[in-house]
């Protein structure tokens, strides 16, 4: 008999506010390990699958979390998406009907996605015992031996000790009743059920036929991946499985389970695991506290005890662990107030743009326009937390990127001095970095001495982009045009007969340098429509279409061999989520100009591939995937967040209705992820570890290009959608 673990992802985790929210409930956050509760559940049940498969039932709003977190584990499953929540009975009916289509003789193991069961082996052993007990035609629920007379759980009264028919189910009792139930041998109701799908459906047809009828009408067709239930699902009565079947059926049995279990219903339950603390906490004479600090935050305590302190970026909870159940009442009160942060409704693009602009205009740009510029006009490599320049060298890409940044600041009228910064910076760059062949060397010292004379293709792309942006802003126009013409002509020395250009600095055959060359070519094509730039852009897109992008799966690789086929070894298997987003952004721009429908479809597929690299727990895009789009490096740098934001925004311009709103919501999530990295003083962190802690290092100047480019797209999308 094949086993089909069914993970039910309902529930909002209200008592675990502010970490748990309706849009990110507790099952998708890292409450007790580096994995989310959902991932812990998947890992716990996966070994039960032999000839069966995992089925997940969840709301449409949480699809992104589930797909990303399954991918991070390298586990596949069938995902059934509910258009609206109708409680556990319709959800279980959907899973049972789904399994019935695959395997009418299959047995479903229904488990909650948000429970704490540290002994996975003991859980599986008990589950197999329950599967055997259910085989004669029973519905078997796992009952937990109560650790205390708790009023936080429902209870089950068995007929006899051991495996037994159920005499009755009891909802959460008062304290006196709970003490009596404990004395009389009642068990806690764990909410885990095992049943052959035919048995469960027979009982549901018997007691709640309207549930089965509505779900059957909404059932989607078979196939791998995610499947949305139809609109008919909303007609199903909203009812729990306990009320619908368990309290009425004479086929329900209970199996006592001995493994440790908690439904983690409130912060006291999380604290009891001893594994719920997160982030930076400095405590003095503070005993028995549970402290969770969001990335970039520090919580300090002195002389307190038995507290839950949950610090999220937009809300902080402080409560006595003995009153953890009261959090639900706090949430209900907050929901009645207009200022409540509870729903965390996605802010408008207008609000995001205004917040972003204030930070750039009032903090970041003034800082980098002063402390980030040397006396000779060159731009520094990095600033530490005290604002001290770091790095005794100057890279071509930093000089060009900072010229891009301040050219845009000048174009936006954000200060009279920005144009002068660009002019001085480019003049000094011309002296120290320009080679006799018209290309620009990679690195010089602080005094201009040559440290690396290589003319990187990547760097030439940014020289072209800086020159185009200067012309756009009306800064140093003639010299910038001469620079672009000279670089474009000199690139012929790097052109390859098989198409594209060679990268002299690093792997010779790569997509990244071409990506930035495409960005520069599109910028220049706007300024000089009759110049060589449109052809350059078309060559790069043709190469991307033919070689960089996997035709079958739609994702883009990084490194290639001389024939532009994927490089051998790990290099050829590398997929970077940030670059999926960045190419999606560029192809959308190119496709608009050419009227080529392939480009938009390719951009959407690239965006979907990039989404496979989103870490729902930290709310960020990670650094690396492999060719199966599973995580390879879960570190998360700043720049992929900006590219996620840009791609979501520009694709939202091309979408309508629900698809547009989904992309706008994605842009809001990307902005929230990016905002984690930015500090109020105009600096930023660059690398976020898997543990949610940022590496301590100076802020690299090169990131400002990514940040400003993201703001530019936000500015443009806001205007486009407002006008539409």
């Amino acid at each position: 008999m094949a086993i089909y673990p069914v993970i039910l992802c309902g529930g909002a985790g209200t008592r675990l506010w502010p970490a748990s929210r309706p849009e990110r409930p507790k099952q998708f956050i890292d409450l007790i390990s580096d994995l989310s509760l959902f991932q812990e559940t998947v890992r716990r049940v996966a070994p039960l699958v032999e000839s069966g498969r995992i089925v997940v039932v969840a709301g449409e709003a949480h699809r992104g979390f589930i797909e990303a977190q399954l991918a991070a584990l390298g586990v596949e499953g069938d995902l059934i998406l509910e258009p609206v929540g109708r409680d556990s009975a319709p959800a279980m009916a959907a899973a049972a009907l789904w399994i019935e289509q695959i395997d009418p003789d299959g047995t479903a193991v229904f488990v909650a996605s948000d429970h704490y069961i540290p002994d996975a082996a003991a859980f599986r052993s008990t589950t197999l015992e329950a599967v055997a007990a259910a085989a004669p035609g029973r519905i078997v629920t796992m009952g937990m031996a109560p650790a205390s007379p708790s009023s936080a759980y429902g209870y089950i009264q068995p007929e006899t000790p051991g495996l037994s028919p159920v005499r009755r189910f009891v909802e959460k009792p008062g304290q006196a009743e709970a003490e009596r139930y404990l004395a009389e041998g009642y068990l806690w109701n764990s909410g885990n059920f095992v049943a052959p799908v035919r048995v469960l459906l027979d009982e549901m047809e018997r007691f709640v036929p309207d549930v089965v009828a509505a779900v059957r009408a909404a059932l989607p067709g078979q196939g791998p991946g995610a499947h949305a239930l139809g609109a008919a699902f909303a007609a199903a009565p909203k009812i729990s499985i306990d009320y619908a079947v368990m309290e009425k059926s004479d086929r329900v049995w209970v199996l006592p389970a001995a493994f440790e279990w908690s439904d983690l219903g409130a912060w006291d339950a999380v604290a009891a695991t001893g594994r719920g603390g997160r982030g930076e906490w400095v405590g003095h004479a503070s005993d028995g506290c549970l402290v969770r600090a969001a990335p970039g935050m520090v919580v300090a305590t002195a002389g307190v005890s038995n507290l839950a302190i949950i610090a999220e970026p937009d809300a902080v909870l402080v409560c006595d662990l003995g009153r953890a159940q009261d959090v639900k009442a706090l949430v209900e009160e907050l929901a009645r107030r207009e200022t409540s942060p509870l729903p965390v409704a996605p802010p408008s693009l207008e609000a995001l743009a205004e917040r972003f602009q204030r930070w750039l205009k009032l903090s970041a740009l003034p800082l980098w326009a002063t402390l980030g510029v040397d006396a000779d006009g060159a731009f520094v490599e990095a600033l530490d937390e005290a604002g001290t320049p770091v790095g005794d060298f100057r890279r071509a890409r930093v000089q060009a990127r900072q010229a891009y940044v301040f050219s845009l600041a000048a174009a936006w009228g954000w200060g009279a001095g920005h144009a002068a910064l660009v002019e001085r910076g480019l003049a000094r760059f011309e002296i120290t970095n320009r080679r006799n062949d018209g290309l620009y060397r990679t690195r010089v010292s602080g005094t201009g001495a040559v440290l690396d004379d290589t003319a990187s293709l990547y760097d030439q792309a940014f020289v072209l982009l800086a020159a185009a942006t200067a012309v756009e802003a009306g800064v140093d126009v003639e010299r910038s045009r001469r620079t672009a013409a000279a670089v474009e002509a000199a690139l012929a020395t790097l052109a390859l007969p098989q198409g594209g250009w060679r990268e002299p600095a690093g792997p010779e055959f790569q997509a990244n340098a071409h990506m930035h060359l495409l960005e520069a070519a599109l910028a220049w094509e706007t300024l000089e429509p009759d110049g060589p730039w449109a052809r350059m852009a078309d060559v790069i897109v043709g190469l991307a279409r033919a070689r960089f992008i996997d035709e079958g799966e739609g994702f883009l690789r990084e490194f290639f061999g001389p024939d532009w086929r994927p490089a051998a070894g790990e290099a050829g298997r590398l997929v970077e989520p940030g670059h999926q987003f960045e190419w999606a952004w560029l192809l959308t721009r190119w496709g608009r100009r050419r009227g080529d429908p392939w480009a938009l479809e390719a951009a959407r597929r690239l965006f979907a591939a990039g989404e496979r690299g989103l870490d729902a727990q930290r709310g960020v895009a990670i650094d690396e995937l492999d060719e199966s789009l599973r995580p390879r490096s879960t570190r998360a740098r700043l720049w992929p967040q900006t590219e996620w934001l840009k791609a979501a925004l520009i694709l939202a311009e091309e979408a309508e209705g629900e698809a547009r709103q989904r992309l706008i919501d994605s842009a809001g999530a990307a902005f929230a992820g990016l905002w984690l990295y930015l500090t109020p003083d105009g600096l930023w962190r660059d690398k976020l570890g898997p543990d949610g802690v940022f590496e301590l290092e100076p802020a690299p100047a090169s990131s400002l290009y990514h940040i400003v480019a993201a703001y530019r797209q936000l500015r443009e999308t806001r205007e486009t959608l407002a006008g539409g």
Side-chain angles (χ1 to χ4, degrees), residues 76 88 123 138 140 174 176 259 286 380 382 415 460 486 489 579 605 659 713:
E76 296 181 351
S88 57
F123 165 82
R138 301 168 180 154
V140 178
F259 52 79
S286 300
V380 305
Q460 310 319 304
H579 286 157
R605 296 185 75 191
Q713 184 60 57

Side-chain angles (χ1 to χ4, degrees), residues 36-37 99 130 132 185 257 279 323 357 419 425 459 461 654:
S36 72
L37 294 176
I99 296 167
R323 303 290 299 272
Q357 178 176 311
D459 289 346
E654 302 297 323

Side-chain angles (χ1 to χ4, degrees), residues 178-351:
E179 291 175 359
R180 179 166 59 84
Y181 294 157
L182 184 63
E184 294 178 359
Y186 283 57
L187 301 169
W188 280 340
N189 183 359
S190 72
N192 296 306
F193 301 96
V194 177
V197 292
R198 281 178 167 168
V199 172
L200 179 62
L201 290 171
D202 284 348
E203 294 301 272
M204 295 189 83
E205 290 276 14
R206 178 182 173 192
F207 297 113
V208 282
D210 47 351
V211 169
V212 179
V215 177
R216 196 184 297 276
L219 203 66
Q222 283 288 323
H227 304 272
L229 291 162
F233 184 78
K238 189 173 185 180
I239 186 171
S240 73
I241 194 66
D242 286 354
Y243 285 130
V245 174
M246 302 303 167
E247 295 182 0
K248 302 172 182 176
S249 173
D250 57 2
R251 303 174 77 174
V252 179
W253 288 53
V254 62
L255 175 67
F259 52 79
E260 183 181 353
W261 168 88
S262 171
D263 70 351
L264 297 181
W267 287 117
D268 58 342
V270 176
T273 70
R275 303 172 63 184
R278 293 290 182 273
E280 296 292 320
W281 173 35
V282 179
H284 176 70
S286 300
D287 300 320
C289 291
L290 171 67
V291 177
R292 295 174 65 93
M297 300 180 70
V298 177
V299 172
T301 62
V304 298
S305 61
N306 205 47
L307 293 181
I309 303 174
I310 315 301
E312 292 289 310
D314 63 340
V316 177
L317 168 72
V318 179
C319 81
D320 189 299
L321 284 169
R323 303 290 299 272
Q325 296 294 325
D326 294 353
V327 172
K328 183 177 181 180
L330 289 177
V331 170
E332 291 170 352
E333 174 60 27
L334 286 167
R336 289 191 286 269
R337 301 186 183 187
E338 293 183 0
T339 57
S340 168
L342 171 66
V344 193
S348 66
L349 296 183
E350 184 72 28

Side-chain angles (χ1 to χ4, degrees), residues 390-426:
V390 176
D392 58 356
F393 56 88
R394 296 170 182 169
R395 290 182 297 164
R397 65 194 60 181
V398 169
Q399 303 306 305
R401 286 182 172 194
Q402 293 297 74
Y404 165 91
V405 164
F406 289 109
S407 290
L408 286 177
W412 294 330
W414 283 4
H418 295 315
L421 283 177
V422 175
E423 290 181 359
R424 290 188 67 216
L426 290 179

